[in-house]
Amino acid sequence: MTNAENPVDRERLSSIVKAYDVRGIVGEALTEQSVEALAAAFVDEVGAAGGKVVVGHDMRDSSPVFAAAFARGATRRGADVVAIGLCSTDESYYASGILNAPAAMFTASHNPAAYNGIKFSRAGAQGISLDTGLAAIRDRAGDYLEQGEVPSVEAEGSVQPLDVLADYAAYLRSLVDLTGIRPLKIVVDAGNGMGGLTVPAVLGTAAGLAELPLEIVPLYFELDGTFPNHEANPLEPANLVDLQKAVVEHGADLGLAFDGDADRCFVVDERGFAVTPSAVAAIVAVREIARVAALGETDVNVIHNLITSRFVPETIEAAGANPVRTRVGHSLIKDRMKETGAVFGGEHSAHYYFRDFWGADNGMLAAMHVLAEFGAQQAPLSELADRFTPYALSGEINSVVDDVPSAYTRVVEAFTGRGEFDELDGLTVFGTTAEDEPFWWFNVRPSNTEPLLRLNVEGADAATMAVVRDEVLGLIRSE
């Protein structure tokens, strides 16, 4: 532990505790000492002394070391650590849910190799944000760092290993039946991340499950936290290029790309074109609404964040359910899933949440729904995707801005009187148009951690979207 008279440690700790998780460069504020302190604070905050805490980690070089440090801090405060080892983030959610225990997952998701972090869950895979406990964990950990040690309780905890991969895979198979679909050839880009472990288990036979009618062409399944081929961030178009080429070269029916911790999944059609996460959300929403309606459920809620396509709430309503619009952010959406009893939730960033998965996000499960829907008919995926993509989306455009408030003000002034303003999350402007004019809307959100403004635009057609996009970008960048 660091010296109690060194106040910088508390300040540096604060720099890595973000809105929904812990994230930072290994060896700076994120050290074994800070992890041990965070572990102790987590056990205190969630009342885990005398109970279980799940600890899992991804394939980054620092992850096993940090997981061991976390176990030290947690056991000193009286928690019994269930060490599930190498896993995807949604696999850690499964363990948290099935054991009804709080969990810590060591991953920096799609960030470069120099980073690592922690995704915390309360028991039952419930989220934790700054507003719901993460700030208290940060402050308690700061206290421990200043004290110079984590004090042990009288009854320290133990560490027991547990392999949950096979049970996780079987559970997902129980939620989506792929046995009756037509044979499909799929290229899967794991990006050297945890999809290289979970895809063979869930969609293949590596976990001892029966073979599915799927031919999988693997790309970068070797677990390697240095990401030697490309960053494990499929949200960036450059990181989809290898998958897009491989789908066309292999004559595959579709492609799937997972991020580093495999909790997000992106879909590519047979032409190599990306399917928007909004289209995936709409497809899955229809399936989940129909499933629970068949079981007699009548008041069905489905969550979508405010950046998803207008077609998502339209699809939810057409399927007989209630669309629930939310801000962006996975912990927040987990909370809203619980509050509303929503059967499903979708985000523009390819996070997909399921009531049958403890309200947590699971990219693999979303991919299985797409495979089930697509594999039940004969048309190409591009045709299915086009039906769920009637409008033109810009995708998220980030602009580095020196003076974020001034740029934000320029946008407000330029569009005052031209649309309806909404400030649920940043600024959303819904264009005022005549009945015979194409609709448009845009959202501008400041980043929580960087001098960025994030822009998303949608229009009834590509030309309308482009006009609005270019005007707003001009305002944002005209410093």
Side-chain angles (χ1 to χ4, degrees):
M1 280 292 176
T2 49
N3 191 290
E5 296 179 358
N6 186 1
V8 71
D9 290 311
R10 184 182 289 275
E11 294 170 9
R12 292 169 67 200
L13 181 70
S14 294
S15 73
I16 63 173
V17 179
K18 310 299 184 182
Y20 304 111
D21 60 15
V22 173
R23 198 79 60 97
I25 295 176
V26 174
E28 294 186 1
L30 190 63
T31 65
E32 289 185 59
Q33 291 77 16
S34 63
V35 166
E36 190 174 332
L38 285 164
F42 178 63
V43 169
D44 294 347
E45 172 64 19
V46 301
K52 296 177 180 178
V53 170
V54 173
V55 180
H57 64 82
D58 70 9
M59 66 293 142
R60 293 167 188 264
D61 290 345
S62 59
S63 290
V65 174
F66 283 150
F70 192 94
R72 288 196 300 272
T75 54
R76 284 182 71 84
R77 298 303 295 163
D80 292 323
V81 169
V82 179
I84 62 173
L86 272 170
C87 64
S88 64
T89 290
D90 47 356
E91 196 180 336
S92 77
Y93 294 152
Y94 168 78
S96 176
I98 208 73
L99 297 174
N100 195 31
M105 171 67 187
F106 282 86
T107 181
S109 185
H110 59 276
N111 284 129
Y115 286 79
N116 212 325
I118 314 170
K119 292 184 177 180
F120 290 112
S121 301
R122 292 186 184 274
Q126 295 302 301
I128 298 181
S129 66
L130 279 177
D131 295 333
T132 60
L134 192 52
I137 293 168
R138 174 199 63 203
D139 295 343
R140 287 173 185 263
D143 292 342
Y144 286 137
L145 286 170
E146 289 185 348
Q147 292 170 21
E149 66 175 352
V150 171
S152 61
V153 297
E154 184 175 345
E156 291 193 14
S158 62
V159 179
Q160 296 294 329
L162 179 67
D163 186 349
V164 299
L165 181 60
D167 289 342
Y168 160 80
Y171 183 70
L172 295 195
R173 291 264 194 114
S174 75
L175 297 179
V176 181
D177 184 5
L178 295 175
T179 57
I181 64 172
R182 64 186 170 95
L184 298 174
K185 179 186 284 190
I186 309 168
V187 180
V188 180
D189 185 347
N192 298 111
M194 293 311 306
L197 178 72
T198 58
V199 170
V202 179
L203 301 183
T205 59
L209 300 178
E211 186 175 3
L212 295 172
L214 302 173
E215 178 186 349
I216 296 174
V217 180
L219 277 184
Y220 314 138
F221 272 37
E222 303 79 17
L223 302 184
D224 189 336
T226 67
F227 307 112
N229 296 289
H230 59 71
E231 286 187 353
N233 182 13
L235 193 58
E236 291 294 331
N239 297 322
L240 285 177
V241 170
D242 290 355
L243 174 64
Q244 292 168 317
K245 288 181 179 178
V247 166
V248 175
E249 288 173 359
H250 287 275
D253 295 293
L254 76 159
L256 302 175
F258 290 88
D259 67 348
D261 60 337
D263 63 346
R264 288 188 297 158
C265 183
F266 291 74
V267 181
V268 169
D269 70 21
E270 80 287 352
R271 305 166 302 177
F273 293 177
V275 179
T276 70
S278 286
V280 172
I283 290 168
V284 180
V286 169
R287 288 179 52 83
E288 284 291 80
I289 293 165
R291 180 181 64 81
V292 297
L295 297 173
E297 201 166 324
T298 56
D299 190 16
V300 181
N301 293 323
V302 176
I303 285 174
H304 67 98
N305 75 20
L306 77 171
I307 311 298
T308 57
S309 169
R310 167 171 154 168
F311 190 65
V312 175
E314 289 177 349
T315 299
I316 294 166
E317 288 185 334
N322 311 309
V324 179
R325 183 170 175 262
T326 74
R327 292 184 288 139
V328 174
H330 75 268
S331 289
L332 176 128
I333 292 183
K334 285 180 182 178
D335 291 342
R336 291 293 284 152
M337 289 286 291
K338 185 176 182 180
E339 292 166 9
T340 64
V343 69
F344 173 68
E347 287 201 273
H348 72 296
S349 55
H351 282 288
Y352 306 104
Y353 306 78
F354 297 86
R355 186 173 67 193
D356 284 354
F357 199 71
W358 299 278
D361 45 320
N362 191 319
M364 180 73 76
L365 191 51
M368 294 170 72
H369 274 284
V370 172
L371 293 174
E373 187 69 20
F374 172 49
Q377 46 89 67
Q378 296 300 316
L381 181 59
S382 56
E383 184 176 312
L384 176 65
D386 285 349
R387 293 207 309 269
F388 286 87
T389 317
Y391 310 133
L393 283 161
S394 68
E396 190 152 274
I397 305 169
N398 293 325
S399 300
V400 177
V401 181
D402 291 333
D403 189 345
V404 169
S406 293
Y408 196 83
T409 299
R410 288 195 297 272
V411 175
V412 170
E413 291 175 348
F415 281 89
T416 297
R418 296 170 58 186
E420 177 186 342
F421 281 28
D422 175 284
E423 293 186 310
L424 175 65
D425 193 349
L427 173 68
T428 305
V429 179
F430 300 93
T432 301
T433 58
E435 287 188 11
D436 59 344
E437 293 177 340
F439 80 86
W440 56 266
W441 64 264
F442 70 84
N443 173 270
V444 177
R445 294 165 21 252
S447 167
N448 290 324
T449 57
E450 302 172 88
L452 294 176
L453 278 175
R454 308 188 190 280
L455 172 66
N456 286 267
V457 186
E458 183 173 43
D461 53 62
T464 301
M465 182 276 292
V467 168
V468 177
R469 177 199 64 202
D470 294 347
E471 180 179 359
V472 181
L473 274 179
L475 292 164
I476 289 173
R477 296 174 177 177
S478 63
E479 294 188 88

